[in-house]
Amino acid sequence: MATRGRNRRPRKTGYWLFLLPGLLLCTLVIVIPVITTVGVSFTEWTGIGTPEWNGLTNYERLLHDDNFWASFRNILLLIVAMAVVPTLLGLFLAALLFDYIAPRAGMRIARALRSGFYLPQVLPLAVTGIVWLWILHPSYGALNRILETVGLGSLASNWLGDPRFALYTVMAVMVWVQIGYPLVMFMAGLQRVPPELYEAADLDGAGWWQRFRRIAIHHIRPEIYIVLITTTIAALKIFGQIFVLTRGGPGNATLVPSYFAYQNYFERANVGYGSAISTVLTLVIVVLTYLFIRVQERGDEA
Amino acid sequence: MTLTEAPPVTARAAPAPPRRKRRKPWLVLGVLGVVVLLVLAPFLLVLMNAVKTETEYGAGGPLALPHGLNLHGITSFWTRVDFGQKLLNSTLISGSVAVLAVVLSVLNAYALGIGKVRGRKWFLIGFLVANLVPQESLIYPLYYGAKYVDLYDTRLAVIIIFTAIQSAFGTFLLSSVFSAFPTELLDAAAMDGAGRLRTLWQVVVPVSRSTIGVLFTFFFVWTWNELFIPLIFLISNDNQTVPVSLGVLQGEKMMDATTTSASALLGIAPAILFFLVFQRTLTRGVMAGAVK
């Protein structure tokens, strides 16, 4: 036994035993199902009996399916609402709280305000759905009631039921849900910036905007990358919020790929077609992540 | 890998460098306060209306203050969906997943981060991709398979699935933490003649306690909030989780405004509880959570 201590480091063999249980479970629950889904996407299958090979038919059908294109168009707007807007707002709020409020009113107040913005993040999305469905309900909802009370009754609308507004309403709710996450991340990042930098900038007479752009943005670049990639992926995967708020409707006004796949699996018994949608979405996410990581690595080198 | 390399957020929440002390910015504070109130308005609305009677709501609308504490909406919703059972199911599922997924993540990360087994890079990429895969790419084969082995509509099936999903993330994160583990400690353990398992249990785990704690918290909360897979797998009333019971209810048109806000309040309550209990861990670990 003692001889093992002579090696500069412990031997490297035998560790793979520790990997076995986890690897086995992940293979069973993730790897095999994903491969199966890709396989099923080349077949026609109702979920009963044997799948029938039909080559690329499902993918050809996708190209001509308005619902498919609508779901990806809606996702683009949801990326704006879940990734782009929260990141920009988060940057602004983080700088405001950290750079303006904290030095003047104390870090405690800045943190309390931050917690307020973060609270929507901890809600289960099913609850988020209930709360907003009720607030936005056309007849007994709080928003329309409030509008009527203050004399703006003409603005009252069927926020989630009218195809003209539904997607924008969902987007607004998503901004509310997301805003706390970038804010917390960016404020944590700003604490890393060495105070000397700010002092030097103050001495140089740099304005608020210049300090923000040159120092803050530069230092929290890792956080910005992480927030952008994780929120973009979250937007691509979005299901729960759509399920509880609109079920993709009215029509396909708020349809998203994951809900579209769900419909084909469980409501229309088009398992092959649903698998093709899922496979496309998986590919988009993997490629996007790869590109993000490459851009980030290049950014770090620069 | 690249993702987690961002400098860790430590508890270094030192107060902002006190530069020149200036007058309190009342105007900006006031505006921010109003904005935060607006963000929190939905919570306040829920709280106010969950304790009203139906007639009160009809007369005064959602903005009027409640006349008193009327718990009828809450109790009627509670008994209607058997909320106690839902809480129990959610706790059972989330708790089991958190424990099992942490154990698996630690074992995997021990092999990958410290053992540096051959092909480590490819395993890590595999776990990363496993994280990215949308759940609808897994759902049908899992659904079919669960029916085949008679696990459909059981809490066990959901526990197994989320243990795998969460541990893929945990492995990815812990591996990068473990790869920076001080080798002196490992050498010392080896010198003492400790085997692999004992080194893991008595050296690696205690030293990484805080990261493991963060992971546990995240796994618990994430699993608690999941909707998609539980919605498909748990169809019988006795097995459903809190989010599923609330989500399914959306289909019912019979809900009135006060019962709706009562149900929302019952859904919010555990979330706020976690928020308060885990707040320290959550802010410390939000960076870690970022990768998901």
Side-chain angles (χ1 to χ4, degrees), chain A residues 9 11-13 15 37 99 111 124 130 133-134 140 145 176 181 191 226 230 237 239 258 265 278 281-282, chain B residues 12-13 19 25 39 49 57 61 63 111 115 131-132 136-138 183 187 196 225 228 231 250 275 290:
Chain A
R9 292 169 118 225
R11 281 185 307 134
K12 289 293 172 220
T13 53
Y15 276 105
T37 297
D99 209 25
R111 280 210 209 113
I130 294 215
L133 266 184
W134 165 62
Y140 65 67
R145 286 289 193 84
W176 177 81
Y181 167 56
Q191 285 172 354
I226 291 179
T230 49
K237 287 182 177 180
F239 172 86
S258 61
Y265 286 142
S278 302
L281 185 61
T282 308
Chain B
R12 194 170 64 92
R19 298 198 292 277
V39 169
N49 291 291
Y57 186 86
L63 281 179
N131 262 303
L132 296 173
E136 57 272 17
S137 260
L138 315 173
T183 42
D187 291 345
R196 297 260 144 70
N225 290 347
F228 184 61
L231 184 76
Q250 298 307 306
F275 181 67

Side-chain angles (χ1 to χ4, degrees), chain B residues 87-111:
Chain B
L87 275 176
L88 189 73
N89 291 336
S90 275
T91 312
L92 176 77
I93 291 175
S94 309
S96 315
V97 167
V99 171
L100 293 172
V102 161
V103 170
L104 283 185
S105 309
V106 167
L107 291 177
N108 285 343
Y110 187 48

Side-chain angles (χ1 to χ4, degrees), chain B residues 91-220:
Chain B
T91 312
L92 176 77
I93 291 175
S94 309
S96 315
V97 167
V99 171
L100 293 172
V102 161
V103 170
L104 283 185
S105 309
V106 167
L107 291 177
N108 285 343
Y110 187 48
L112 295 172
I114 289 178
K116 303 208 163 47
V117 295
R118 203 182 300 171
R120 152 175 191 275
K121 195 182 156 195
W122 292 106
F123 282 122
L124 281 175
I125 292 176
F127 281 111
L128 172 66
V129 174
N131 262 303
L132 296 173
V133 170
Q135 290 182 350
E136 57 272 17
S137 260
L138 315 173
I139 192 68
Y140 210 87
L142 288 177
Y143 168 79
Y144 196 81
K147 284 201 157 167
Y148 190 75
V149 296
D150 239 3
L151 278 179
Y152 183 63
D153 196 17
T154 62
R155 287 163 291 189
L156 180 63
V158 176
I159 292 174
I160 294 175
I161 293 170
F162 281 118
T163 300
I165 292 177
Q166 311 289 32
S167 76
F169 171 78
T171 301
F172 186 69
L173 180 90
L174 267 188
S175 294
S176 79
V177 172
F178 280 6
S179 63
F181 197 86
T183 42
E184 303 81 32
L185 289 179
L186 299 174
D187 291 345
M191 207 90 81
D192 288 347
R196 297 260 144 70
L197 197 59
R198 246 186 77 197
T199 310
L200 173 64
W201 191 238
Q202 296 190 339
V203 180
V204 178
V205 169
V207 170
S208 331
R209 240 186 356 241
S210 69
T211 317
I212 292 174
V214 169
L215 264 192
F216 180 88
T217 312
F218 276 133
F219 289 168
F220 189 91

Side-chain angles (χ1 to χ4, degrees), chain A residues 286-300:
Chain A
V286 170
V287 168
L288 213 63
T289 310
Y290 175 75
L291 290 178
F292 253 117
I293 292 178
R294 290 306 297 269
V295 170
Q296 185 189 12
E297 275 171 353
R298 199 164 305 158
D300 285 348

